Amino acid sequence: MALSRRTFSALTGCAALGFAMGGSGGPGAPSAFAARSAPTGPPPAPPRADGRRHTIGYDPYSLLVDGRRLVVWSGELHPFRLPSPSLWRDVLQKMRAHGFNTVSVYVSWNYHSPAPGTFDFSGVRDLDLFLRTAAETGLYVILRPGPYINAEVDGGGFPGWLTATKGTARTADPTYLGHVDAWLTQVDRIVRRHLYTQGRGTVLLYQLENEYDSHVTEATGRAYMSHLYKKVRADGIDVPLFHNDKGRNGYWVPGSFDTGGEEGGYLYGFDGYPSPSQNPPDWGKFGPGGSKGGASASPSTPGFVPEFGGGWFDPWGGAWFDGKGYPEARRTRDSAYERRFYLTNLANGLTLHNVYMTFGGTSWGWLPAPVVYTSYDYGAAIDEARNVTAKMAPMHQLGHLFQRVPDFARLDRAADVKVPGLKVYHLANPDTGARVYVTRNDGTEPVTAELPTNAGKLRITVPARDARMLATGLRLGSRTMKYSTAQPVMCVTAGKRDVAVFAGRRGDLAELVLDCPQEPNVTRLDPEAGWAYEGGELHVGAPLGEAGLSRVLVTGGGTETPLVLLLADDATSMRIFPHDTPSGTVVVYGPTLLRHAEVHGSEVRLTGDLDDDPVIEVWGPRGVDTLVWNGRRVPVRVTLSGSLMTTGTLPRVPEVRLPELTGWRARTENPEAGPNFDDSRWRKADRTSSYSTTPVPEGGPVLFADDYGFHYGDVWYRGAFSGSTGIEEVKLAYSSGTQGLLMAWLDGEPLGTHRLPVPDKTTTIRKGTWEATATFPVRPELRSPGRHVLSVLVRRMQHDQDGKGDDTHKAARGLTSVSFTGAAPEVSWRLQGERAVDPVRGPLNNGGLYGEREGWHLPGFPDREWEPVTFPREERRQGVTWYRTSFRLSVPGDVDASVGLRLEDDPYRAYRAQIFLNGWNMGQYINNVGPQHTFVLPNGILRTRGTNTLALAVLSEFTTLSGPGKVSLTLLGAAAGGLPVTPVPSPGR
């Protein structure tokens, strides 16, 4: 039943939002990089490895793929932070389903190269597999292979062995360039098999360097960038190249270095991570202009942000987020933050937009740079446990909008619009006449005001510190929308009907107005919706979110094509998925995730995930009358809108039961502390010079771990000398990353432990190299003639990054010098770190603990002779204790369950634990520092239907009792569906 005009007007306000669809794509550009204009029209088809050649050009508005405008809506994902290749497909499918058309990936040099000239792209490091998976998912790829990536990884991605080589990194130094060329040769050999230009994959863009703001005015910097450009081109990479400028400096714009005469193959990009407390900056059409203004530094190329904040990293101790960890990052950079900042970017013409991170993942093993702990959740839209969070809603809505409504690829700044209390951006598409209004409230109270538009004054409300996008002139298939107070998400043709989706905040009353020269037939398919027709305009309204999805069917009114209007709040909109098939587009509502859709005759076959509210509705091509969900035919009915809706019971998520962790066995280690330990096979510290940036003490020797080939994890030192009669103190100078630690023994007797301080929020939060001297008194009973051994364990906490291009990654790790008071014995030093690289788990998995060298972390290690123990533990000793147990999981095969390991204890107990699951080093827990207490155990490494081995290497000290306390498994998420997961090899002894 239609609402009366009086009632309808009383319930609804006015806002405008609209875009026009139309036009057609032009022919392909005459060369791969030709900058040519193109009319507004349909975007390119979803990418795939189709065997056809494609062109990638651009003009100041957008990329042009085969002559059609493409808005790049990209999300960052690092395969090396998800060491289970089966799960790559899971996250990529979630990104595609939620509106992303592109994935941006770093390739970390240190992850693939354990030694000079040695490269490994197998197993969890299979770049070829990842690129194939991205193409099969239908995503473009922005590839970022370094050589320097930063990314909060060890050495900024530089391999550990590079710290001990001649040559200055990130310059035209020939030694460094030789290593770079060897790396790029290996990467590019893989990448050129996946170039979209060649139809062999979906690699769209390629990054040369990252945030390179050093040596910009120097010849060595220009020569370095030129070398990278020419090397990549010589390797056969023919897609556009770019650099990611740190902080909008206007560095490395087109023409700033020699490209060998090639023109039009290079883009300027810049990154930005504005704080939620800031007002969104204008880095484009509405900005101040000039080289420091963002996109205006390169006016002939489209606005490009290779990194824009989708969250933020957190340091040891959690200073950024007051110890609350990544949930607080997600709260402070929430959906409202994204609307304010991402819509401002859109208004400023940034049509190549990458959200860093969209899935953060885990900096497992010794991968993390000193400035972060194990979790790299980042507060991203997809959390570390692969759950899609509520902050995905704006990205879902904008991504599908950019793919389905082409007007946004070409917008010009229009006449200024002033509204008290709001910042308004007014843009227009010169081809279609569509007008776009971004209204932003930077205040602390909601603002209700009248917005002047070309459709009249529209009364809108913008919540505090939030934004709304409105437009006029939207084509909804064969109809024209005058305005809408809800944001359009998509308009597609599914079979014989047009389907248009609109979304807004829960509780908003949405109104949209259609131009209708004749009175149409309107069917309210849900009771919340209402409608009224007057003066050639159809008004449709509904409160958003009160009862899920509100559906309205419009027929007639001057066109034969029915229009289905779907009105949703944010949460509901995330359950609406379009999917293109060779038979036409399908629109699916209901599941938590649509992974794939196919049409076979009268069947529509869907795969995806469900939660505890499993109802599915599908609008599809003509003749479809059967629905198959995850391989099972389900009963449906045909609705008045022509959709298929399930009527039977669909699988709900069954209970996932996790076992208690019992049966622990323990064994103490560090025999290296004893005076009679055989260290004859250890490396002798006999070097007198180093390429490190840390000075070698006068007279030597060099004690830096990297100089002896030990690049990751813990390092042991043993110094032998004669006579300790006069020694009063031992002074051990060491250099480490954040939260480094040193333990010392003399003849097996503990001297003490030294810990570096927790970073503070103002001065040391970004500090990557810490230097300290641990001074330990020598008790009288330890002073005697004869042979003595000073044993030192250093937890090095990884290499600094090289963000400023001054070789900070070469700062020493481990002991730097040793001195005594009361005597000056001559000491002969030997040291030992990690053994040979694990061929499956890679160079970043193992350190130099005795238990690691002996395989105590591996499945199959015989621990039956170890001491049975229970948790919680209360021990007081200095050194390393290992704990092992096994557990069996029986997660149903049709359930995707994400499981974590939770460690809890008295926060005053100073100890740390290295966590090994089936031999894989899943991260480091520091009990008295935090903030991380839960560690994600990725499926594939975790056997969800089988037996698992868990080992903890606990470093404790005398100052406090040590644990572990409570150690348990926790369920982090579960869905009915998921993907088959291939177990990641976990070789044992």
Side-chain angles (χ1 to χ4, degrees):
M1 184 177 90
L3 298 175
S4 70
R5 296 188 183 94
R6 179 176 297 177
T7 303
F8 188 85
S9 298
L11 289 174
T12 59
C14 293
L17 191 56
F19 324 10
M21 297 182 68
S24 60
S31 69
F33 315 119
R36 81 177 272 194
S37 184
T40 300
R48 60 190 180 92
D50 57 10
R52 301 171 56 189
R53 290 188 176 272
H54 298 274
T55 60
I56 307 170
Y58 61 85
D59 68 6
Y61 292 103
S62 71
L63 284 189
L64 300 171
V65 173
D66 296 332
R68 295 188 175 191
R69 293 198 176 279
L70 175 71
V71 175
V72 172
W73 190 244
S74 173
E76 188 85 11
L77 159 66
H78 299 155
F80 53 82
R81 283 189 161 115
L82 187 57
S84 178
S86 296
L87 299 184
W88 299 343
R89 188 180 301 272
D90 173 73
V91 177
L92 290 170
Q93 287 184 346
K94 287 171 179 172
M95 291 173 61
R96 187 213 59 78
H98 287 292
F100 291 94
N101 60 7
T102 306
V103 59
S104 173
V105 294
Y106 275 136
V107 187
S108 195
W109 189 356
N110 59 9
Y111 194 60
H112 298 273
S113 181
T118 301
F119 302 95
D120 186 355
F121 288 90
S122 65
V124 298
R125 296 167 296 281
D126 192 340
L127 177 62
D128 187 86
L129 174 60
F130 180 86
L131 296 177
R132 291 201 312 269
T133 305
E136 291 164 3
T137 309
L139 293 171
Y140 293 108
V141 176
I142 298 174
L143 196 83
R144 308 207 287 160
Y148 181 77
I149 65 172
N150 205 68
E152 290 75 61
V153 298
D154 175 61
F158 284 154
W161 55 261
L162 193 69
T163 65
T165 62
K166 181 182 179 181
T168 303
R170 308 184 79 186
T171 70
D173 183 288
T175 302
Y176 168 70
L177 290 183
H179 294 308
V180 167
D181 284 354
W183 163 243
L184 292 179
T185 294
Q186 298 297 320
V187 174
D188 294 345
R189 182 178 297 159
I190 297 170
V191 174
R192 67 172 174 255
R193 298 199 297 263
H194 298 273
L195 297 172
Y196 189 59
T197 46
Q198 305 299 316
R200 303 177 67 188
T202 57
V203 174
L204 181 76
L205 302 171
Y206 181 112
Q207 180 173 302
L208 289 177
E209 240 277 8
N210 188 63
E211 298 181 334
Y212 185 46
D213 59 357
S214 305
H215 313 295
V216 177
T217 61
E218 302 170 26
T220 190
R222 294 190 297 273
Y224 173 46
M225 289 294 289
S226 179
H227 179 93
L228 294 177
Y229 194 101
K230 294 173 183 177
K231 165 61 179 171
V232 170
R233 285 288 184 247
D235 284 348
I237 307 302
D238 63 357
V239 299
L241 310 179
F242 69 96
H243 168 261
N244 175 36
D245 188 10
K246 182 180 181 180
R248 300 152 307 284
N249 301 297
Y251 296 159
W252 310 119
V253 296
S256 58
F257 60 90
D258 178 23
T259 60
E262 181 179 87
E263 296 183 1
Y266 178 76
L267 300 173
Y268 171 72
F270 59 91
D271 63 20
Y273 293 88
S275 166
S277 62
Q278 295 178 249
N279 291 337
D282 291 322
W283 289 335
K285 297 183 191 304
F286 291 83
S291 61
K292 304 294 183 181
S296 59
S298 179
S300 64
T301 61
F304 185 9
V305 276
E307 296 179 27
F308 194 88
W312 191 240
F313 67 84
D314 200 25
W316 285 105
W320 278 129
F321 303 110
D322 302 321
K324 299 175 183 177
Y326 285 115
E328 184 69 2
R330 192 168 285 108
R331 186 191 69 81
T332 55
R333 290 165 173 81
D334 59 2
S335 296
Y337 169 91
E338 291 170 333
R339 283 188 290 270
R340 291 175 66 220
F341 286 82
Y342 300 173
L343 289 174
T344 298
N345 287 348
L346 168 68
N348 277 276
L350 305 181
T351 59
L352 289 84
H353 193 283
N354 180 51
V355 178
Y356 187 107
M357 299 292 295
T358 298
F359 170 78
T362 305
S363 297
W364 60 282
W366 295 108
L367 186 65
V371 292
V372 291
Y373 46 90
T374 297
S375 175
Y376 201 67
D377 176 280
Y378 216 78
I382 304 174
D383 70 18
E384 187 181 2
R386 298 180 292 110
N387 299 302
V388 177
T389 68
K391 68 179 287 182
M392 181 64 83
M395 290 181 262
H396 178 100
Q397 295 161 8
L398 290 172
H400 287 303
L401 184 65
F402 297 153
Q403 292 187 56
R404 304 291 170 174
V405 181
D407 299 70
F408 289 92
R410 191 182 188 195
L411 292 173
D412 290 322
R413 183 173 179 175
D416 289 347
V417 174
K418 303 292 185 181
V419 176
L422 297 178
K423 171 77 172 179
V424 180
Y425 300 88
H426 179 201
L427 303 111
N429 185 293
D431 300 324
T432 66
R435 301 295 182 92
V436 177
Y437 303 85
V438 172
T439 62
R440 198 181 76 217
N441 180 1
D442 295 325
T444 58
E445 298 293 333
V447 172
T448 300
E450 288 189 336
L451 174 70
T453 75
N454 67 333
K457 291 186 176 180
L458 306 175
R459 191 165 183 80
I460 62 170
T461 298
V462 183
R465 301 193 70 75
D466 207 333
R468 299 178 65 172
M469 182 174 64
L470 303 93
T472 59
L474 172 63
R475 290 287 298 174
L476 302 183
S478 59
R479 304 172 192 272
T480 300
M481 187 194 75
K482 185 177 181 180
Y483 66 82
S484 168
T485 63
Q487 176 179 311
V489 176
M490 68 187 81
C491 183
V492 301
T493 298
K496 59 183 179 181
R497 68 195 65 81
D498 297 321
V499 180
V501 181
F502 295 82
R505 313 297 79 77
R506 182 178 177 85
D508 284 357
L509 190 59
E511 180 195 7
L512 64 89
V513 177
L514 298 177
D515 291 330
C516 293
Q518 304 170 21
E519 183 169 1
N521 297 313
V522 182
T523 304
R524 181 175 57 184
L525 303 174
D526 295 284
E528 299 80 19
W531 60 272
Y533 178 77
E534 180 179 18
E537 295 180 346
L538 174 66
H539 292 247
V540 178
L544 298 179
E546 293 185 5
L549 187 65
S550 294
R551 308 160 180 85
V552 175
L553 173 64
V554 182
T555 61
T559 179
E560 297 180 357
T561 306
L563 172 65
V564 180
L565 298 172
L566 305 180
L567 308 177
D569 67 337
D570 290 330
T572 303
S573 74
M574 290 173 61
R575 291 173 174 263
I576 304 174
F577 305 97
H579 196 99
D580 296 316
T581 78
S583 301
T585 302
V586 298
V587 177
V588 180
Y589 165 65
T592 52
L593 178 67
L594 178 68
R595 295 184 181 274
H596 187 64
E598 295 179 0
V599 177
H600 291 264
S602 62
E603 287 187 346
V604 57
R605 301 174 184 176
L606 309 177
T607 60
D609 297 356
L610 297 173
D611 59 9
D612 290 330
D613 187 22
V615 174
I616 299 176
E617 186 172 7
V618 181
W619 291 267
R622 299 183 185 187
V624 168
D625 59 13
T626 304
L627 176 60
V628 177
W629 174 257
N630 284 348
R632 184 167 71 92
R633 184 174 294 187
V634 295
V636 294
R637 65 180 177 89
V638 179
T639 72
L640 291 175
S641 69
S643 66
L644 301 180
M645 181 179 288
T646 55
T647 59
T649 302
L650 290 170
R652 295 176 179 269
V653 183
E655 181 182 4
V656 176
R657 296 184 179 181
L658 301 178
E660 292 186 7
L661 297 177
T662 58
W664 290 96
R665 293 181 177 272
R667 182 176 176 180
T668 58
E669 62 142 90
N670 48 275
E672 301 96 331
N676 298 319
F677 179 82
D678 182 6
D679 60 17
S680 60
R681 295 186 179 182
W682 287 20
R683 290 292 305 275
K684 186 176 182 180
D686 54 4
R687 296 179 180 272
T688 57
S689 63
S690 173
Y691 294 118
S692 172
T693 55
T694 303
V696 177
E698 185 175 353
V702 174
L703 295 173
F704 314 155
D706 287 296
D707 285 70
Y708 298 94
F710 305 125
H711 305 302
Y712 305 113
D714 300 292
V715 181
W716 273 98
Y717 295 83
R718 284 172 55 84
F721 61 94
S722 297
S724 64
T725 304
I727 297 177
E728 299 173 358
E729 291 179 326
V730 177
K731 295 184 177 181
L732 303 170
Y734 71 111
S735 178
S736 168
T738 310
Q739 281 300 288
L741 173 146
L742 178 148
M743 293 178 173
W745 294 259
L746 182 59
D747 298 331
E749 294 297 318
L751 296 180
T753 299
H754 186 278
R755 288 181 278 123
L756 291 170
V758 179
D760 63 60
K761 197 170 185 176
T762 55
T763 58
T764 60
I765 199 165
R766 292 177 179 269
K767 186 175 179 180
T769 291
W770 300 66
E771 297 173 339
T773 298
T775 301
F776 299 119
V778 176
R779 301 187 303 275
E781 57 268 27
L782 297 178
R783 306 172 191 171
S784 66
R787 180 181 181 273
H788 298 277
V789 176
L790 176 61
S791 300
V792 182
L793 173 63
V794 179
R795 175 146 289 186
R796 36 184 294 149
M797 300 298 285
Q798 296 316 91
H799 306 93
D800 196 359
Q801 300 176 107
D802 190 27
K804 288 297 180 182
D806 52 7
D807 271 357
T808 49
H809 66 292
K810 290 187 175 182
R813 291 296 183 260
L815 285 178
T816 54
S817 67
V818 180
S819 61
F820 302 85
T821 59
E826 185 174 329
V827 183
S828 175
W829 286 100
R830 291 182 180 271
L831 68 162
Q832 177 66 55
E834 72 273 23
R835 282 190 174 173
V837 173
D838 187 315
V840 172
R841 300 174 181 94
L844 294 156
N845 194 72
N846 292 358
L849 294 179
Y850 180 86
E852 292 178 283
R853 303 198 307 269
E854 294 297 314
W856 293 6
H857 61 300
L858 297 175
F861 180 84
D863 59 12
R864 285 173 295 183
E865 301 301 318
W866 289 21
E867 177 189 1
V869 297
T870 59
F871 291 163
R873 301 287 291 169
E874 292 185 353
E875 292 190 334
R876 189 184 297 273
R877 70 180 295 265
Q878 176 177 293
V880 184
T881 304
W882 282 77
Y883 301 91
R884 284 173 55 95
T885 190
S886 62
F887 61 92
R888 183 173 179 82
L889 295 181
S890 299
V891 177
D894 58 351
V895 172
D896 181 10
S898 184
V899 178
L901 183 73
R902 178 84 180 166
L903 293 92
E904 301 170 272
D905 208 342
D906 183 330
Y908 295 102
R909 293 182 178 177
Y911 69 91
R912 57 187 65 192
Q914 206 70 26
I915 300 165
F916 293 90
L917 175 68
N918 296 326
W920 291 81
N921 181 346
M922 296 316 302
Q924 182 175 190
Y925 169 72
I926 305 184
N927 180 70
N928 59 317
V929 175
Q932 185 174 5
H933 288 267
T934 299
F935 294 77
V936 173
L937 308 177
N939 298 346
I941 290 177
L942 178 71
R943 307 293 192 252
T944 57
R945 296 180 63 82
T947 300
N948 299 273
T949 299
L950 181 64
L952 304 176
V954 176
L955 276 69
S956 57
E957 55 188 89
F958 273 129
T959 56
T960 69
L961 291 172
S962 73
K966 182 180 179 182
V967 182
S968 60
L969 299 175
T970 181
L971 186 64
L972 302 176
L979 291 171
V981 176
T982 301
V984 178
S986 294
R989 290 178 61 83

